[in-house]
């Protein structure tokens, strides 16, 4: 059974492709490599023991997407493709609305014309890469799915609009089956060290930055504020191993295929870690020092953010298994084996 992964060569997409293969599905990667590396495809072939089908192009091209859907007739689509840098989204909002929102519309239209037209291959089924960023700055922890939504930047706004569009589509046309997965903070890498996160330029996110400091690519980490109302003053997040996240997609697809109606769930561990706890865990896992300096808060950051992941367990039978130690050990194996990422 084929599953089409838009953005399948990216960080979360590539790990999900391997997990799907291991679960007996046949992943088909669709990517334009605008924020991923073609070398991923060789790594995927090594991990799965066979070439993984690739469709190279943009989700913005609706007609081409229709052709891809007709050619492969995938049972479902997982929509990862999009842009995700918060700071860039503030500077270039239209880029975010175009690629994320227009991209989603383009995919939905292509799926609609193939699945709701004559001789449909089956009902339209979609898993969407959502984000905990749609909760804004919640008043209490842990976060459940019924918390009010808000946004403080165009990236978050785009994720929220897409969720709302998906709801409207499901309401209008009940044949659709849609699973929205709100990711908390994905980190780590495949335990083989063959695939991992390879951000272009200076990493925005904590774990890849820490990994680059440990490997000697950068001198030190700047901690964005140590005066938050948290136990050690630094921000607390719900880091989730990308392998657990990938399994979350497999569980979501199984649920949709089994006829579960549409759903929206948090994918997190339910356990918060502070910036300094991540640094210490990474030093332990790597055996390398990670020098830190304390800087000012980063604009837009919140003090605390962690999930109540119990709905995903109830609905999908999915639960995160891996802790911070495994996240750091696997991120380190990837980083030390590929100091320059896929360019190595
Ligand atoms: C960020 C995005 C979020 C997105 C998520 C994707 C922002 C404000 N939020 O979440 O919308 O969904 O990435 O993974 O960018 N930190 C440092 N020094 C650094 C980098 C980070 O101290 O060099 C701290 C941050 O202040 C925060 C924690 O580490 O407390 C995690 O930061 P990050 O990895 O960027 O994730 P989020 O900000 O939670």
């Amino acid at each position: 059974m084929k599953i089409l992964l838009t953005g399948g060569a990216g960080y979360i997409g590539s790990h999900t492709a391997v997990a799907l293969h291991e679960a007996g599905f046949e992943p088909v990667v669709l990517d334009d490599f605008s924020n991923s590396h073609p070398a991923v495809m060789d790594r995927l072939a090594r991990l799965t023991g066979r070439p993984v089908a690739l469709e190279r192009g943009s989700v913005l091209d609706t007609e081409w997407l229709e052709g891809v859907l007709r050619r492969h007739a995938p049972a479902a689509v997982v929509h990862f493709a999009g842009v995700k840098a918060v700071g860039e989204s503030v500077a270039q909002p239209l880029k975010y609305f175009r690629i994320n929102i227009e991209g989603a519309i383009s995919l939905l239209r292509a799926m609609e014309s193939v699945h709701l037209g004559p001789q449909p291959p089956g009902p339209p089924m979609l898993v969407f890469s959502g984000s905990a960023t749609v909760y804004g700055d919640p008043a209490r922890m842990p976060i459940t799915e019924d918390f009010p939504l808000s946004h403080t930047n165009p990236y978050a706004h785009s994720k929220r609009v897409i969720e709302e569009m998906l709801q409207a589509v499901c309401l209008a046309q009940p044949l659709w089956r849609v699973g929205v997965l709100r990711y908390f903070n994905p980190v780590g890498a495949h335990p083989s060290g063959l695939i991992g996160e390879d951000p272009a330029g200076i990493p925005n996110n904590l774990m890849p930055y820490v990994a680059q400091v440990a490997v000697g690519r950068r001198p030190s980490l700047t901690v964005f504020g140590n005066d938050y109302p948290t136990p050690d003053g630094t921000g607390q997040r719900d880091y989730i191993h990308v392998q657990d996240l990938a399994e979350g997609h497999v569980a979501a697809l199984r649920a949709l295929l089994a006829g579960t109606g549409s759903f929206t769930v948090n994918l997190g561990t339910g356990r918060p870690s502070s910036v300094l706890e991540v640094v210490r865990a990474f030093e332990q896992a790597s055996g390398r020092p990670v020098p830190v300096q304390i800087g000012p808060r980063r604009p837009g950051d919140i003090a605390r953010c962690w999930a109540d992941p119990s709905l995903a367990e109830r609905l999908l039978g999915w639960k995160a298994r891996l802790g911070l130690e495994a996240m750091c050990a696997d991120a380190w194996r990837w980083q030390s084996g590929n100091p320059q990422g896929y360019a190595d």
Side-chain angles (χ1 to χ4, degrees), residues 5-15 17 28-31 40-41 44 80-81:
L5 310 182
T6 75
Y11 173 44
I12 302 169
S14 57
H15 288 79
V28 176
V29 168
L30 183 155
D31 212 295
V40 173
M41 299 310 298
L44 289 181
F80 297 102

Side-chain angles (χ1 to χ4, degrees), residues 62 66 70 108-118:
T62 314
E66 276 179 34
R70 289 188 208 284
L108 292 170
R109 285 182 54 220
M111 289 178 73
E112 186 179 67
S113 74
V114 171
H115 290 272
L116 304 181

Side-chain angles (χ1 to χ4, degrees), residues 154-316:
Y155 161 70
H157 195 175
S158 72
K159 288 286 175 186
R160 187 176 168 189
V161 169
I162 296 166
E163 282 201 17
E164 288 166 354
M165 287 191 326
L166 291 170
Q167 264 179 20
V169 166
C170 290
L171 202 64
Q173 181 44 265
L175 262 184
W176 280 86
R177 296 187 210 165
V178 176
V180 173
L181 307 180
R182 292 182 180 154
Y183 309 153
F184 279 68
N185 288 58
V187 297
H190 191 273
S192 64
L194 283 174
I195 55 174
E197 187 171 14
D198 182 17
I202 302 170
N204 295 309
N205 298 117
L206 178 64
M207 187 70 91
Y209 204 105
V210 168
Q212 291 191 7
V213 173
V215 84
R217 243 173 104 173
R218 307 191 184 274
S220 66
L221 170 81
T222 302
V223 175
F224 296 147
N226 66 350
D227 57 352
Y228 283 106
T230 59
D232 66 15
T234 66
Q236 290 178 298
R237 295 291 184 275
D238 186 339
Y239 297 96
I240 172 170
H241 199 300
V242 67
Q243 290 290 99
D244 276 330
L245 198 65
E247 290 302 330
H249 293 74
V250 175
L253 283 164
R254 285 206 171 115
L256 291 179
L257 288 163
T260 308
S262 295
F263 54 83
T264 298
V265 295
N266 289 337
L267 293 188
T269 64
R271 289 182 298 275
S273 306
S274 73
V275 176
L276 295 178
E277 283 169 342
V278 170
V279 168
R280 276 196 295 274
F282 208 95
E283 287 184 323
Q284 283 252 291
S286 64
R288 299 281 183 96
V290 177
V292 300
Q293 50 190 34
I294 306 298
R297 292 182 179 190
R298 180 171 64 179
D301 267 2
I302 59 178
R304 307 179 309 154
C305 180
W306 66 91
D308 176 339
S310 56
L311 183 64
E313 187 172 2
R314 281 203 305 281
L315 273 184
L316 314 178

